[in-house]
Amino acid sequence: MNKNEDPKLGEECGVFGMYDLDGEDVASSIYYGLFALQHRGQESCGIAVSETDGPLRNVSTVKGMGLVNEVFNADNLGKMKGDIGVGHVRYSTAGASIAENTQPLVLNYIKGTLALAHNGNLTNALALRQDLEEGGAIFQTTIDSEVIAYLIARERLKAGNVETAVKEAMKKIRGAYSLVIASPRKLIGVRDPYGFRPLCIGKRDNAYFLASESCALDTVGAEFVRDVEPGEIVAITSTGITSDKSLAAPNKGRCIFEYIYFARPDSYFDGTCVHTSRLTAGRILAQDHPVEADIVVGVPESGNPAAMGYAMESGIPYGTAFIKNSYVGRTFIKPKQSSRESSVMVKLNVLREVVQGKRVVMIDDSIVRGTTSARIVKMLKDAGAKEVHVRISSPPFLYPCYFGTDVPSRDQLIAADHSVEEICRMIGADSLGYLDIQRLSELIGGDEGYCRGCFSGNYPVDPPKEDIRGEYEK
Ligand code: AMP
């Protein structure tokens, strides 16, 4: 890896798995599932399928750098034969964005084959990797998912079945992981003991699904069965579903940022609709940070429902100020500061007609480095807005995330060493208000079982002693 590139190893991924008990091919449904999860990762993707009644170790895999519709086509999908399989979409920062790190990982070992797709970050992957390497293991990739796959394969040699092997591996790994695994004749879904990253189960006729988000189940016409619970291992076989929840932690640590920014608004996690939680955030902002204004606008996409909530609560009309180029992915895809700056303008344009001469309330989901807000405020003012009042539907970002959301290190977080007043000046706004951290739980119906470490510095699991991001580049 190139040391000169952004020295982070963030992972924001989507996983999808399917087992058709009637023996039909699953590749095309997995493709559509990944397509619905594309917002979770745009750098690489892959699908691995096999036949449950076919020869062991006969896995058909297609992986590549790029979007789902760039990597897959009718030809390569048509050749993928198999009734069980898993898929993955991946976003990482530049350093780790190489073809070898694409998933699913397919591992051949003495008991057969494991195809594994992982969303999340481990906090002890380096130490585990070192231990395994000292014991003779050879790794092909630099992602911690391979450590998980290796541990499961090794445990499987002693365990009676793959679920037990997964459970033994879970006792060794720490951090965030939602996994979908196709072992030759079982589809396994796993959520870490705190449930940092989401995972849910779906069903369509005689086929079962596992997906990062329920919107992917809708896309393939599957009905939502339930969420996989934190700490749960589900095994889907031809005889039904088994579940083991014995490794669940006493407290949950579901990522609140999934609701604020990351997930699609039409997804449901643990009974809460993401769209509704964004509306609630907007309502709270209107209660806590009211302002006299003529129009409320959202920064697409996740700012829009929050802006609607603000408008409903305040009575100020909701409007559309930004036109988004739908063919551009998320701004963070370009990891370098200079390219991120210009990509704001590539992605968004202002409807001059709507904002000219107006006092505008502009809602975005977060301020990380401050680049985006500064750009957008300037765009609104250049288009004739009289005042721009920025409201942010999350608390200030103060700490990095070690659990699968790409939040940069503290020295790059504008809120870490600037007051709200200073940030307001730096982004050129007339006023600035953040969501109060005390009210975060209202986004998920008052449930306190979530991780807000990026805002509070208190993580449900100890963060790694040293910042692991970038370690693999040494
Ligand atoms: P910045 O320009 O660094 O302040 O970034 C803020 C913008 O990035 C906001 O508009 C967010 O929607 C978006 N954003 C926040 N967190 C992330 C993330 N982890 N990955 C990608 N985009 C993000």
Side-chain angles (χ1 to χ4, degrees):
M1 262 177 263
N2 184 352
K3 271 212 113 188
N4 297 324
E5 290 179 323
D6 199 345
K8 292 178 293 153
L9 196 71
E11 297 284 335
E12 293 176 338
C13 304
V15 296
F16 193 86
M18 178 176 176
Y19 182 7
D20 190 319
L21 302 184
D22 289 339
E24 300 294 326
D25 286 335
V26 294
S28 69
S29 289
I30 296 178
Y31 165 79
Y32 285 117
L34 293 183
F35 199 61
L37 297 174
Q38 187 76 81
H39 61 287
R40 299 185 70 85
Q42 300 94 19
E43 286 188 359
S44 68
C45 57
I47 296 177
V49 300
S50 59
E51 284 169 334
T52 48
D53 62 358
L56 287 180
R57 302 191 189 172
N58 205 0
V59 181
S60 154
T61 310
V62 174
K63 307 196 276 189
M65 304 301 294
L67 300 173
V68 174
N69 64 1
E70 293 167 339
V71 170
F72 295 99
N73 52 52
D75 187 40
N76 61 16
L77 278 172
K79 289 185 186 138
M80 297 189 81
K81 297 288 166 208
D83 53 353
I84 191 167
V86 296
H88 191 262
V89 287
R90 175 161 194 258
Y91 163 78
S92 74
T93 51
S97 178
I98 51 173
E100 293 88 274
N101 285 349
T102 53
Q103 295 194 41
L105 291 173
V106 178
L107 217 81
N108 282 315
Y109 71 121
I110 195 151
K111 296 274 184 181
T113 315
L114 278 181
L116 175 143
H118 170 211
N119 173 206
N121 271 144
L122 301 189
T123 53
N124 65 341
L126 266 185
L128 287 171
R129 177 179 288 256
Q130 255 157 21
D131 270 5
L132 290 166
E133 278 174 344
E134 277 160 21
I138 298 167
F139 288 96
Q140 321 254 331
T141 76
T142 60
I143 47 176
D144 44 9
S145 319
E146 195 178 7
V147 173
I148 306 178
Y150 198 96
L151 282 174
I152 295 173
R154 208 176 63 166
E155 293 297 336
R156 178 71 179 91
L157 299 178
K158 294 177 266 167
N161 58 38
V162 67
E163 302 91 293
T164 312
V166 167
K167 191 169 173 179
E168 291 307 312
M170 282 174 76
K171 291 177 185 165
K172 299 195 167 70
I173 58 183
R174 306 262 174 280
Y177 53 92
S178 279
L179 306 172
V180 293
I181 303 164
S183 84
R185 291 180 182 93
K186 277 176 195 161
L187 181 66
I188 312 274
V190 183
R191 224 170 142 193
D192 67 68
Y194 296 86
F196 284 101
R197 313 270 49 120
L199 190 66
C200 62
I201 308 172
K203 190 170 190 294
R204 183 185 72 200
D205 304 324
N206 242 346
Y208 285 91
F209 300 82
L210 293 166
S212 290
E213 293 186 34
S214 61
C215 68
L217 301 178
D218 297 335
T219 302
V220 298
E223 103 199 35
F224 173 84
V225 175
R226 65 176 177 88
D227 292 287
V228 176
E229 288 182 26
E232 184 177 8
I233 305 168
V234 295
I236 299 164
T237 66
S238 56
T239 52
I241 305 187
T242 62
S243 154
D244 180 340
K245 298 179 192 168
S246 56
L247 292 184
N251 50 325
K252 290 183 194 163
R254 293 163 302 154
C255 169
I256 195 74
F257 204 54
E258 290 277 352
Y259 296 87
I260 293 168
Y261 165 78
F262 202 37
R264 246 171 68 161
D266 50 338
S267 286
Y268 286 75
F269 298 132
D270 300 300
T272 301
C273 168
V274 172
H275 174 79
T276 308
S277 67
R278 290 179 189 164
L279 275 182
T280 305
R283 284 187 181 278
I284 295 172
L285 282 173
Q287 291 159 9
D288 293 351
H289 301 285
V291 64
E292 295 234 341
D294 305 306
I295 188 166
V296 186
V297 304
V299 179
E301 303 290 338
S302 23
N304 287 339
M308 253 175 242
Y310 195 101
M312 288 183 209
E313 187 73 17
S314 65
I316 303 169
Y318 173 82
T320 301
F322 299 105
I323 297 302
K324 186 179 167 192
N325 182 333
S326 348
Y327 302 96
V328 187
R330 285 190 167 180
T331 313
F332 266 41
I333 292 172
K334 300 279 177 290
K336 294 213 176 87
Q337 186 76 2
S338 55
S339 47
R340 187 167 44 246
E341 279 172 6
S342 58
S343 55
V344 173
M345 312 197 57
V346 172
K347 187 171 151 188
L348 294 178
N349 199 10
V350 177
L351 274 171
R352 187 174 289 274
E353 209 51 31
V354 174
V355 299
Q356 208 159 29
K358 303 253 176 69
R359 296 169 299 172
V360 180
V361 180
M362 181 195 100
I363 317 254
D364 200 0
D365 58 83
S366 55
I367 299 181
V368 184
R369 298 170 176 86
T371 325
T372 309
S373 300
R375 274 277 158 187
I376 298 182
V377 170
K378 182 168 184 306
M379 283 165 78
L380 287 175
K381 292 224 163 159
D382 287 349
K386 213 158 61 180
E387 292 170 16
V388 179
H389 300 276
V390 176
R391 299 292 178 266
I392 301 296
S393 60
S394 63
F397 258 126
L398 295 172
Y399 300 91
C401 175
Y402 303 96
F403 304 102
T405 300
D406 182 32
V407 179
S409 56
R410 230 170 115 72
D411 55 356
Q412 294 179 58
L413 296 171
I414 193 169
D417 52 3
H418 294 98
S419 67
V420 175
E421 293 72 33
E422 284 169 337
I423 299 169
C424 180
R425 263 197 310 279
M426 289 162 84
I427 62 172
D430 292 279
S431 73
L432 170 64
Y434 282 95
L435 191 89
D436 182 350
I437 193 165
Q438 303 302 333
R439 302 197 65 181
L440 256 185
S441 67
E442 292 175 42
L443 271 52
I444 49 171
D447 186 336
E448 291 290 339
Y450 64 93
C451 175
R452 56 178 173 187
C454 52
F455 307 125
S456 69
N458 296 321
Y459 304 96
V461 174
D462 286 342
K465 296 214 168 36
E466 69 278 10
D467 195 337
I468 50 166
R469 294 169 310 161
E471 278 299 306
Y472 293 146
E473 295 173 41
K474 287 176 184 158

